[in-house]
Amino acid sequence: MKEALIIFVKNPEKGKVKTRLAAKAGNEKALEIYMRLLEHTRSIVTSLVADKFVFYSDTSDYNDLWENNIFNKKVQLGNDLGEKITNAFKEILAKEYQKVSIIGSDCFELTADIIHMGFKQLDSADVVIGPAADGGYYFLGIKKIHPSLLDNIAWSTNKVFEQSIAVCNKEQLTYKLLPLLNDIDEEADWIKAQEYFSL
């Protein structure tokens, strides 16, 4: 089956990334950590068989760490995260992919094997979600658009995963879950990640 992976990233600009982390660590350190997260994400997805699309928050960059011969580059369109994800899914599904999944760049625990597992689980489910410990999710996989799955979600809160599962149950969408992982949102998250990965 034709598969595509969408990677949502923010353009790495000081003062505009990891703002919660920057509140304690400072903008310079926050940018440095974000670059590490981007590099980690690139390293785990590069070898995946799926076609890869990087969606930037502002403008696409053809001279950055995402190699142009591996990653297709796009810009996020929409007023909120739900609309941006919906538009990205619609654009890629229109290219006749049978499975499309999206990840961000906040999860140091994410591996290529987990992403591969997510695509595989779409064989027998309408939706695959990778829950994050902060109440959000780090992975969302679908085979077709389910508008309600991304509407009226309290983005950037600890209710995102819970609300998404509620939508699946209400709409009678079959779903499977990936392992629970930790995102890097606060300085404490990065300190834990450093201990875990011996960074």
Side-chain angles (χ1 to χ4, degrees):
M1 294 180 82
K2 199 176 172 188
E3 300 176 350
L5 178 68
I6 296 169
I7 305 135
F8 259 34
V9 303
K10 288 186 177 180
N11 292 77
E13 298 176 29
K14 189 166 69 172
K16 294 187 177 181
V17 296
K18 293 282 142 217
T19 52
R20 278 189 282 170
L21 193 152
K24 285 190 176 180
N27 289 330
E28 199 79 50
K29 185 66 175 177
L31 178 59
E32 178 189 326
I33 291 169
Y34 188 63
M35 291 304 300
R36 292 288 300 276
L37 289 167
L38 289 179
E39 288 163 5
H40 169 74
T41 304
R42 181 198 60 182
S43 71
I44 64 170
V45 303
T46 297
S47 63
L48 291 171
V49 175
D51 291 341
K52 292 166 274 287
F53 297 83
V54 178
F55 276 75
Y56 295 79
S57 57
D58 296 313
T59 56
S60 53
D61 187 343
Y62 292 92
N63 296 296
D64 62 1
L65 55 82
W66 305 96
E67 297 96 328
N68 297 326
N69 62 327
I70 297 175
F71 299 95
N72 301 283
K73 300 184 175 184
K74 306 279 185 180
V75 176
Q76 300 167 26
L77 299 174
N79 295 315
D80 65 13
L81 185 57
E83 196 174 318
K84 290 175 181 179
I85 295 174
T86 298
N87 289 335
F89 271 136
K90 284 180 177 177
E91 181 176 349
I92 304 307
L93 283 166
K95 299 179 185 292
E96 300 184 346
Y97 288 96
Q98 284 82 42
K99 298 178 184 177
V100 181
S101 299
I102 188 168
I103 63 171
S105 56
D106 293 333
C107 188
F108 231 108
E109 296 178 5
L110 185 58
T111 66
D113 286 344
I114 292 173
I115 296 172
H116 178 73
M117 186 193 310
F119 276 109
K120 184 67 178 170
Q121 288 184 343
L122 279 171
D123 287 338
S124 54
D126 298 317
V127 179
V128 175
I129 301 177
D134 64 2
Y137 54 71
Y138 60 84
F139 179 103
L140 179 65
I142 59 173
K143 291 177 285 192
K144 67 177 188 177
I145 290 289
H146 307 289
S148 56
L149 193 59
L150 296 162
D151 285 344
N152 301 314
I153 300 294
W155 300 107
S156 300
T157 72
N158 61 2
K159 301 293 184 184
V160 173
F161 172 72
E162 175 187 318
Q163 291 176 344
S164 301
I165 294 300
V167 169
C168 288
N169 290 328
K170 182 181 179 183
E171 301 293 327
Q172 297 185 317
L173 300 173
T174 58
Y175 65 89
K176 290 193 173 180
L177 301 180
L178 294 172
L180 181 72
L181 301 181
N182 292 288
D183 274 345
I184 306 292
D185 293 316
E186 310 278 354
E187 186 180 30
D189 301 328
W190 179 245
I191 292 170
K192 286 180 186 175
Q194 287 178 294
E195 293 170 355
Y196 186 82
F197 293 102
S198 301
L199 297 174

